[in-house]
Amino acid sequence: MDVIIASNEQEAGRIAAAHIAHALRGIERPVLGVATGSSPLSTYEDLGRRIKEGSLDLSQARAFALDEYVGIPADNPLSYADTIRTTVTEPLGFDPANVRTPDGMADDIAAGAKEYDEAIKAAGGIDVQILGIGNNGHIGFNEPGSSLVSRTRQVCLTRETREANARYFDDPADVPTHAVSQGLGTIMEARKVVLVALGEQKAAAIAAACEGPMGAHCPATLLQMHPDAVIVVDEAAGSQLQRKDYYADVQRLMPEDQRVVD
Ligand code: PGA
């Protein structure tokens, strides 16, 4: 795993977007895994800048969202389907027909979740999965204790996740108790993973994810087993890392031909 410490949110977004654009180069119909939440917003902004400047084109790309609440219809602005539409599909010029979100309103959630995994496979798998991380180390809505080989499925949200997400709801009691999330096994099949973490409240989860022992207590630690995971943090989110100097050396001393440049 490559850990990159950016000086602020904008720089984190630029670095993450550079890695995404670099990984998608030459792929005719790329498949992106996309996340909601505040962490990837500066990354999406920078991808938008690249599209505007003509160095990136996502008009043929396909996207699969990481997760969706159970019980919130797709046309409700609180749904992740709608959030992805306003933060990804429209600003980045995706064809809406090529963007999918797990169905949190299905009569048979389990069947829908299985079909979602199959649709990702049928699309050829995810080229780049964009991730945030929860304060508790979750990725997607794979809460601590999730099976490390889990597939897309219904999950019960932890109290800390519901509290963290209450900021979007008028009444904290309205935060759904369940979601449909890509599983850890699903996420691990992406060919590249780019995780963005911002702010002090993510510092402990990032230290655990990058330097702690691997285990279900902190689902993001599984990325230590991924062959191509890039973790981009701002200084606050990276503040509890023990090996900051080494991560800086890795970037500084990287051979020219391996360097990801804008
Ligand atoms: P955030 O959420 O990007 O809004 O902090 C991340 C997450 O909970 O996975």
Side-chain angles (χ1 to χ4, degrees), residues 36-40 132-135 138-140 165 167-168 201-202:
T36 56
S38 43
S39 309
I133 184 172
N135 303 353
H138 75 199
I139 48 176
N165 289 7
R167 66 192 195 272
Y168 297 108
Q201 74 281 7
K202 302 293 172 68

Side-chain angles (χ1 to χ4, degrees), residues 206-219:
I206 282 295
C210 301
E211 299 175 343
M214 202 182 80
H217 64 287
C218 177

